[in-house]
Amino acid sequence: MGSSLKNAQFLIDSRLADAARGDMDACYELGMVYSSGAAGIGVNLIEAHKWFNLAAVAGSEAAQACRSEIAEDMTAREIAEAQKAARAWLNLTARRAA
């Protein structure tokens, strides 16, 4: 594993930890990473939509705009999968917080 990929994984892992604590900015940043393929991570619109959706639910207008933008390049099935993943994340983090 190259060092840039290790750094990318570290970035994602640290942002995931922040997102699990309800950090809207972390969710937005994860959406940006997955929508752009930044940091050597492949573009994954389903993951991007999920993270933008979570940030949007938390009140981020920028995430709402990004979610709408990438949704135009996704199939209805992909969007449904992303929404299901977002709900699963919310359920998981709600259980952890309880």
Side-chain angles (χ1 to χ4, degrees), residues 4 14 17 44 66 77 80 82 88-89:
S4 67
S14 67
N44 183 333
C66 291
R77 180 176 285 170
W89 174 264

Side-chain angles (χ1 to χ4, degrees), residues 34-36 43-50 70 73-74 78 82:
Y34 284 110
S35 65
S36 65
V43 172
N44 183 333
L45 293 183
I46 293 170
E47 274 295 297
H49 189 287
K50 174 181 97 175
I70 65 167
D73 295 327
M74 297 172 70
E78 288 171 332

Side-chain angles (χ1 to χ4, degrees), residues 9 11 20 24 29 37 39 46 48 51 54 58 61 63 69 73-74 77:
Q9 195 57 54
L11 168 80
M24 173 178 64
E29 287 173 30
I46 293 170
W51 291 113
L54 291 164
E61 290 182 16
E69 200 174 297
D73 295 327
M74 297 172 70
R77 180 176 285 170

